[in-house]
Amino acid sequence: MRTKTIVKHTALIGVGVVMLYPLLWMIVSSLRPDDLIFRAPGLWLRDLEVSNYTGGWTALTHPFSRYLLNSAIVVFGAIIGNLVSCSLAAYSFARLEYRGRKFFFAIMLATLMLPFHVVVVPQYILFSELGWTNTFLPLIVPKFLATDAFFVFLMVQFIRGLPRELDEAAVMDGAGHPRIFFQILLPLMVPALATTAIFTFIWTWNDFFGALIYLTSPDLYTVPVALRAFIDAQGSSSWGSLFAMSIVSLLPVFVAFLFGQRYLLRGIATTGLK
Amino acid sequence: MPYTRRDTKAGYLFLAPWLIGLVVITIGPMLASLYLSFTDYNLIQAPRWIGLDNFAEMLSDEKLHNSLKVTFVYVAVSVPLQLIVALATALLLDRGMRGLAFYRSVFYLPSLLGSSVAIAVLWKQIFGTTGLVNQLLALVGIDGPGWVSNPDTALGTIILLHIWTFGSPMIIFLAGLRQIPRTYYEAAQVDGASRSRQFFSITLPLLSSIIFFNLILQMIGAFQSFTQAFIVSGGSGGPAGSTTFFTLYLYQEGFGKFDMGYASAMAWLLMVIIGLFTAINFLGAKYWVFHEN
């Protein structure tokens, strides 16, 4: 039994090392002079080379802080949008009885499977007709319309797990639906709201396609698009600064992961989110 | 149950943002893209009705055929491999084992980072001519090729990237494994069933609906992969078209050449393909997905 445990842990640690090695190597490489990156598979550091960070930070038209701020604006808008619109829809699906509810619920589930590309061209045309290209609006406004069906589904599941007696007691006390929703259910939904917020944060932060098609002016670049512009500007000539800025772009995701992993892991276990 | 007017009004009020989104952001654009797929449209001139020309063009479009092939290979190889690795790791992670939370987090982290531009950049270097993989190979005296610049191996590197993100299906498998009652295994042990017999007779059937769920989810996602191929190939889908995923070709046609009609037709083809594969999976599931009672 003991040897079996040791074998198992050895296997798991082995897998873990393979999983993390590229990331650790990227961190180390971002602190190395370029010529060393091309011939050092190891993880040791002789002396810290911070110039990759300082140089990379200002290598594009704007300092990297600009792109971080742009991403932060989009992410913040998306989180608020998803929290508000998805929770409202979820309450309607989970707690209210009306004609058409089941039909709409089925449609909501169907949209979970809809490939994004089927709607992307007309959406692009719509937003450009509205004059919204080169603004953050196409990346934020849809979130206020509960277009991320995953989160609606997640919250419906969550609300269904809350005792109905709570609502009924509130009705006895003369509360209307807005009060039941805002004062009774919403405070209890914090775990589901946190999951939604963290996933929205990470997905929106990583979103490349949307930012790529809507944001063409360098002032508005979000971090992924800026990184891409960075590759084009630097070529593969300076992996050091490329890695340095990659690390900068991953850091917020990593922090979100550290603080939110309890919610993240439970979130995917229950609904199969990415 | 009779519907009360109060509930109906509140129901639609709470549902209003979603309903508006459904009409304006989803159904409207779907219908529009269906219409556009029968037109020639470059965003500047009005769409011109050309009937089935876009679809006819697809039949002879070599680049499209190639992108379909690349995407099918990617889906067919990376999805099963990723699920096997995810399941194997989940099985290794017994409940109640020491360090479970730690391992789970370590294995899950790449799933969150995998779709980012930064990781695609890293991948491009790792499998470059002077990249990490070749540095490691050089240690044992092997002179490795430029993996991302070689048409035979470029797609393989993106498949590896996909497998690397096995953490999210692994978490779902772990949750599924937790639901299998321990008593089943205890009973099997009493009957003298071997470990492999237990796996094939208890674990696999009871996990089949979770495997199916993961399969559908990952397949739909894999058909839509974009960022990795875009960054690794520098937007070109090269070398020699070996990483031109269907979505990357769609992007090039729609947002590179502004041939929005053709891009819309391609999007519908993708939707039909995904729908077809999902349907086939659901039909096939009858034969291998086990339902209790």
Side-chain angles (χ1 to χ4, degrees), chain B residues 97-169:
Chain B
M97 86 181 281
R98 224 174 244 271
L100 173 74
F102 172 75
Y103 289 125
R104 211 175 40 187
S105 302
V106 166
F107 298 156
Y108 179 59
L109 180 64
S111 296
L112 289 180
L113 307 177
S115 65
S116 66
V117 169
I119 293 300
V121 166
L122 172 67
W123 230 251
K124 197 176 175 183
Q125 206 290 337
I126 288 181
F127 290 99
T129 318
T130 53
L132 178 60
V133 166
N134 282 350
Q135 290 169 15
L136 290 168
L137 288 176
L139 294 179
V140 290
I142 298 172
D143 195 12
W147 306 92
V148 288
S149 50
N150 183 337
D152 295 331
T153 50
L155 181 58
T157 64
I158 303 178
I159 289 175
L160 269 181
L161 174 50
H162 185 77
I163 298 170
W164 187 63
T165 62
F166 71 80
S168 74

Side-chain angles (χ1 to χ4, degrees), chain A residues 8 37 92 99 123 177 261 272, chain B residues 7 11-12 94 105 135 217:
Chain A
K8 195 177 270 184
I37 296 174
S92 179
R99 198 180 301 278
Q123 273 183 19
H177 289 297
Q261 44 171 312
Chain B
D7 263 21
Y12 280 100
D94 273 345
S105 302
Q135 290 169 15
L217 215 66

